[in-house]
Amino acid sequence: MAKTCVITDFDGTITEKDTLYTFFKTYASDGWKDVEQMWVSGLIGSKECLIREFNLVPNLNKKLVDDFIKTVKIDRYFKDFVKKLNEQNIKIFVVSDGVDYFIENVFKTRDIKGISVVANHGTFSDNEFSLTFPNENSNCIKNSGTCKCKILESFRAEYDKIVYIGDGVSDFCVADKSDILFAKSKLVEYCKNNGIAHIDFENFKNISEHEMFSAS
């Protein structure tokens, strides 16, 4: 039997809004918008963008971040989707160019279990926030903090079929590298413009009801 894994983006795919964009919009000084635009324009990679933006958050501390995490809204069908995959022994990964501290604690506060998170690493020590990039790739054309292409390619040795779920710019590079692609928002437009086969979805209920996950 073919061994399958599911890889999903986090921001805008699982969450209703981009988590870090909302965080910086709420707490960072005005200069973060200029940094964000530099990233959007391709002048800097996401790694440099994140470092600069976190440096622009005054009084960055654990309570501030933890209180914000409690406000993050996610797809209401996601938890059931994860439960279904766990019951079918299908491994699910979140691969994100965001920060694992945010992602893992969003799941923890909502009692969502059974997910492996691959992302940029954020941690607090003595209430000081530090950010590292264990999944960067010197050959990444986007200079991303987490190179999704590199991660997906590393899974090929273990999995026969890779399902990818995404929505936006950070998913463009990896869109044509999965076996089955579920797409929404900007990723749909990108796939149509580049002739990439994909399945449209609006929420995780749509994906859960797809024939490949319909086994009871």
Side-chain angles (χ1 to χ4, degrees):
M1 181 180 292
K3 190 175 182 182
T4 300
C5 77
V6 173
I7 300 174
T8 177
D9 173 54
F10 182 73
D11 287 303
T13 300
I14 295 171
T15 62
E16 292 184 3
K17 297 180 180 179
D18 186 300
T19 307
L20 292 181
Y21 183 92
T22 305
F23 179 76
F24 294 129
K25 182 180 179 181
T26 305
Y27 297 109
S29 59
D30 291 342
W32 81 272
K33 295 178 182 178
D34 297 327
V35 177
E36 187 79 9
Q37 187 56 48
M38 290 175 69
W39 171 70
V40 171
S41 301
L43 297 176
I44 60 174
S46 62
K47 174 183 176 179
E48 183 174 350
C49 180
L50 284 175
I51 292 171
R52 290 190 186 189
E53 289 180 329
F54 272 109
N55 285 337
L56 289 171
V57 179
N59 302 315
L60 178 61
N61 60 76
K62 188 175 184 299
K63 184 178 186 304
L64 180 76
V65 173
D66 289 348
D67 286 346
F68 169 78
I69 286 171
K70 295 174 185 177
T71 70
V72 175
K73 295 182 179 180
I74 68 171
D75 186 315
R76 64 192 179 111
Y77 300 107
F78 180 70
K79 186 174 182 177
D80 288 339
F81 177 68
V82 174
K83 181 180 178 182
K84 187 172 191 177
L85 294 189
N86 289 337
E87 290 172 347
Q88 295 181 8
N89 293 315
I90 298 175
K91 186 70 174 178
I92 179 170
F93 299 86
V94 166
V95 177
S96 171
D97 205 14
V99 178
D100 57 4
Y101 185 90
F102 285 74
I103 298 167
E104 290 170 354
N105 282 286
V106 164
F107 293 155
K108 183 178 180 180
T109 58
R110 290 152 183 82
D111 194 32
I112 298 175
K113 301 175 182 178
I115 305 175
S116 297
V117 176
V118 182
N120 304 311
H121 182 54
T123 186
F124 283 95
S125 178
D126 297 326
N127 216 30
E128 292 290 326
F129 182 73
S130 62
L131 188 63
T132 56
F133 301 89
N135 306 298
E136 64 180 317
N137 176 10
S138 60
N139 296 317
C140 180
I141 61 175
K142 293 290 188 180
N143 293 315
S144 299
T146 293
C147 180
K148 293 186 176 183
C149 295
K150 176 185 176 182
I151 300 302
L152 189 145
E153 187 60 33
S154 72
F155 287 175
R156 284 291 176 193
E158 184 174 357
Y159 298 97
D160 303 299
K161 182 182 291 184
I162 295 177
V163 179
Y164 190 87
I165 307 169
D167 79 301
V169 175
S170 72
D171 306 308
F172 288 178
C173 290
V174 78
D176 63 349
K177 295 177 175 61
S178 63
D179 299 299
I180 298 176
L181 173 67
F182 289 92
K184 68 175 181 177
S185 192
K186 294 179 181 178
L187 185 57
V188 171
E189 182 180 357
Y190 176 83
C191 289
K192 289 180 177 178
N193 290 339
N194 291 275
I196 299 172
H198 65 283
I199 302 167
D200 290 27
F201 79 98
E202 293 183 4
N203 54 52
F204 277 89
K205 185 173 186 289
N206 304 145
I207 302 173
S208 183
E209 292 175 345
H210 189 272
E211 61 183 6
M212 73 171 299
F213 300 119
S214 62
S216 58

